[in-house]
Amino acid sequence: MEWVIFIPAAALALAGGVGVVAARQPVHSAIALLIVLASLAVTYLLLAAQFIAVLQVIIYAGAIVVLFLFVIMLLHTRSGEATREKLPRQRRMAFILGGIYLVTLVIATVSTAGPSKAVAPSFGTAQDIGAALFVSYLLPFELASVILLVGIVAAAVIGRRPPPEDGGGED
Amino acid sequence: MVPTSAYLVLSAVLFTMGAVGVLVRRNALIIFMAVELMLNSVNLAFVAFARQHGSIDGQVAVFFVLVVAAVEVVVGLALIVDIFRSRESVDIDDVDLLRG
């Protein structure tokens, strides 16, 4: 019965994945990424991870994709791939190695899959994750706040405007 | 009940798509989105295994991956904007200052 939900979600995720990689315009890639994130949130719900599904929608779809869209608007990137390929055989090799890698990955991960244990209805709720986060993972949780602070400072320093005397675009 | 292996296959396919995307695309923004795709596929594997083992630790790991991904995007996009300011391009082939 869960297949009825899983198959459309998985198909949408795969279609979105192709869109991210194959879209010519970065904006279309961002929208495809949004589709992937939303359908993965659905699969999280199927896997009894309600809190993670909500985080996925709020953080990824709500914050990260919007940041991507802002930057895309800011850069008015001219689309289109470079006319000259600096590494001529890279594209073909990427697909060949990707295929080999996919086979390896599927064999390695599927061999570790087994029957699922029954879980309590409270599994994956915010309360459940919060208890784990603030008891067993308290130090990593606090370190995460330091990482976020470092990210904020780094973005502010890297992204600040250059001093007016040398101006922008000194190509 | 969908078996764990179905989620793992989906995760593996998405990860490979992201890896191939990083290799074949030249636009830094799209490469970045492909990296996000790979991070998300790993999150899916984490959640699937958390469900299989009935353990919450996998979902906590996803939480930390989300934090790191958010920071990575913020810093990375700031770098891309900075590179665009000085070079008027987001093509990674144009950024070869460190190449010998």
Side-chain angles (χ1 to χ4, degrees):
Chain A
M1 187 184 71
E2 286 181 8
W3 286 101
V4 179
I5 304 169
F6 175 76
I7 289 175
L12 260 181
L14 293 177
V18 172
V20 170
V21 173
R24 306 218 63 84
Q25 304 264 4
V27 180
H28 297 165
S29 277
I31 301 301
L33 186 64
L34 197 60
I35 294 170
V36 178
L37 301 175
S39 32
L40 284 184
V42 173
T43 64
Y44 293 165
L45 286 177
L46 285 180
L47 287 164
Q50 304 94 315
F51 183 60
I52 297 296
V54 172
L55 281 188
Q56 170 92 353
V57 172
I58 294 176
I59 298 182
Y60 258 116
I64 292 183
V65 172
V66 170
L67 194 60
F68 267 113
L69 288 173
F70 268 123
V71 171
I72 290 168
M73 284 192 294
L74 204 64
L75 300 189
H76 59 86
T77 51
R78 293 169 299 285
S79 68
E81 300 289 276
T83 45
R84 72 268 177 264
E85 285 279 338
K86 286 197 174 175
L87 298 168
R89 279 184 297 279
Q90 185 180 5
R91 187 174 289 260
R92 196 174 353 128
M93 283 306 290
F95 283 110
I96 294 169
L97 291 178
I100 297 170
Y101 185 64
L102 176 63
V103 173
T104 319
L105 204 57
V106 167
I107 292 170
T109 54
V110 168
S111 65
T112 59
S116 296
K117 288 184 182 151
V119 291
S122 68
F123 183 76
T125 55
Q127 188 184 13
D128 200 12
I129 293 189
L133 214 50
F134 288 107
V135 177
S136 324
Y137 293 92
L138 185 59
L139 182 63
F141 179 73
E142 296 295 341
L143 286 178
S145 66
V146 178
I147 292 177
L148 285 170
L149 180 65
V150 169
I152 295 168
V153 174
V157 170
I158 295 170
R160 73 165 192 272
R161 296 204 163 277
E165 57 264 22
D166 60 13
E170 62 279 354
D171 247 58
Chain B
M1 181 80 207
V2 182
T4 311
S5 49
Y7 294 101
L8 294 177
V9 170
L10 175 62
S11 161
V13 173
L14 284 176
F15 191 91
T16 309
M17 274 181 192
V20 171
V22 169
L23 288 173
V24 301
R25 297 306 299 255
R26 302 266 71 88
N27 185 321
L29 284 166
I30 293 178
I31 287 176
F32 228 60
M33 287 184 233
V35 171
E36 292 305 310
L37 197 60
M38 291 161 82
L39 283 169
N40 264 282
S41 74
V42 173
N43 281 351
L44 179 61
F46 265 128
V47 174
F49 278 121
R51 177 68 186 80
Q52 177 186 325
H53 295 290
S55 151
I56 200 71
D57 295 347
Q59 297 191 11
V60 177
V62 172
F63 174 83
F64 288 115
V65 171
L66 277 173
V67 170
V68 173
V71 174
E72 175 233 334
V73 165
V74 167
V75 176
L77 287 178
L79 284 173
I80 290 175
V81 170
D82 207 47
I83 289 168
F84 183 80
R85 273 198 198 131
S86 61
R87 292 181 178 268
E88 291 289 317
S89 164
V90 289
D91 191 317
I92 55 163
D93 279 339
D94 291 341
V95 185
D96 52 3
L97 208 62
L98 288 180
R99 184 187 283 173

